[in-house]
Amino acid sequence: MASRVTFIGAGNMASAIIGGMIDSGHPATGITATSPSDAFLAPIHERYGIRTNTDNAAAVRDADVVVLAVKPQVMREVCEGLRDTLQRQRPLIVSVAAGIDAATLQAWMGGGTALVRCMPNTPSLVGAGAAGLYATPEVTAEQRTQASELLSAVGLVEWVEEESLLDAVTAVSGSGPAYFFLMLEAMEEAGVKLGLPAETARRLAIQTALGAARMAQESELTPARLKRNVMSPGGTTERAVEHLEQAGLRTMMIDAMDACAKRARDMGDEFAQR
């Protein structure tokens, strides 16, 4: 991993990646985070011992990797403010902002920069993230490795070779945690309706989701095969799964993820027109 990494923005995602980097052995002295407010930076400095700065340009002056971790609404201002420094230094740029495509970011930064777009998700906050990455042609093999090491500090990394596929990544993993939280919410409500205390139903549902995910991750079997293995002919699970299928769960999931991907594309168009 590069020895000098600067995070522009010190929010939850930046903090999660920084924590993962340090847990993976990256020295805190090689990490800098920025924010307009010293008061906002104080907690992340105290927690991780990293360097902090309220001056973005000064913070990236000696960086090998610059992680853009600010809200999409202020990304243009940040990129344009860093343009001259980035053009001189030519670090690897990693953007974790949703909805802003590489061409737009390149235009704001002056063009020609080595840029990786990343679509992480919120389980990165607990080291169980899933991120899709796309690299522009300027990114070298060594820089791809740097980006992989950076994001794998908080979870799974998958590269896509077409930027448009990041919209599909958004639909599957970027927004995906909310789908499972909705399922957990519904399972808790159903458990309560069947007579269980809410806390009991919640703990059972969460542990069941965790166990199912681990089985799917560690098994060589497909999710379809694992599902069938739980379903005894004429049994309780078969009855429940048949009901979900008849109610259209599969179609609803596909339609919902299509809508998610379309919204991601629309957001990209909106930012490009600003």
Side-chain angles (χ1 to χ4, degrees):
M1 185 180 292
S3 59
R4 296 167 298 185
V5 181
T6 293
F7 289 79
I8 305 300
N12 288 337
M13 188 58 66
S15 181
I17 298 171
I18 290 167
M21 291 171 65
I22 291 174
D23 288 344
S24 299
H26 195 287
T29 54
I31 303 172
T32 301
T34 75
S35 174
S37 167
D38 276 322
F40 190 80
L41 289 169
I44 198 170
H45 170 70
E46 292 171 5
R47 182 175 182 181
Y48 298 118
I50 64 171
R51 297 187 298 173
T52 59
N53 202 322
T54 57
D55 185 334
N56 288 345
V60 305
R61 205 162 286 147
D62 64 348
D64 301 304
V65 180
V66 175
V67 182
L68 301 175
V70 297
K71 294 182 182 301
Q73 293 80 3
V74 300
M75 184 65 81
R76 179 171 186 169
E77 179 184 355
V78 166
C79 288
E80 291 179 343
L82 289 172
R83 178 185 296 170
D84 291 344
T85 304
L86 295 177
Q87 288 295 320
R88 284 194 304 269
Q89 297 301 120
R90 295 290 180 170
L92 170 64
I93 311 297
V94 178
S95 170
V96 298
I100 308 179
D101 64 28
T104 301
L105 290 167
Q106 291 282 30
W108 293 344
M109 293 185 291
T113 59
L115 172 64
V116 169
R117 279 192 63 202
C118 171
M119 184 64 240
N121 63 7
T122 54
S124 299
L125 302 177
V126 294
L133 276 66
Y134 165 78
T136 62
E138 296 85 357
V139 177
T140 66
E142 179 182 0
Q143 288 172 325
R144 283 174 72 106
T145 299
Q146 289 176 333
S148 290
E149 291 179 350
L150 184 76
L151 275 302
S152 64
V154 290
L156 174 74
V157 168
E158 293 284 346
W159 286 90
V160 296
E161 298 307 315
E162 297 178 27
E163 185 176 13
S164 61
L165 291 176
L166 287 180
D167 296 332
V169 172
T170 298
V172 175
S173 58
S175 299
Y179 315 154
F180 291 100
F181 295 146
L182 175 61
M183 179 67 77
L184 290 172
E185 184 182 11
M187 289 176 70
E188 179 185 340
E189 290 179 6
V192 170
K193 185 177 179 181
L194 290 167
L196 290 173
E199 287 295 326
T200 299
R202 183 179 308 157
R203 286 193 294 267
L204 288 171
I206 291 171
Q207 184 62 28
T208 300
L210 177 63
R214 284 188 60 183
M215 286 186 69
Q217 187 177 58
E218 297 175 10
S219 175
E220 295 182 357
L221 301 177
T222 65
R225 179 71 259 180
L226 290 170
K227 177 193 69 179
R228 289 195 295 271
N229 287 351
V230 185
M231 297 167 57
S232 301
T236 58
T237 307
E238 182 182 69
R239 180 66 58 85
V241 170
E242 285 178 351
H243 185 84
L244 290 170
E245 292 280 14
Q246 291 167 5
L249 176 65
R250 189 182 300 265
T251 300
M252 284 189 289
M253 285 299 304
I254 293 170
D255 289 346
M257 292 170 67
D258 280 344
C260 180
K262 182 179 185 302
R263 178 56 185 150
R265 291 192 295 272
D266 290 345
M267 287 175 63
D269 292 341
E270 290 166 10
F271 279 110
Q273 293 168 8
R274 292 184 182 181

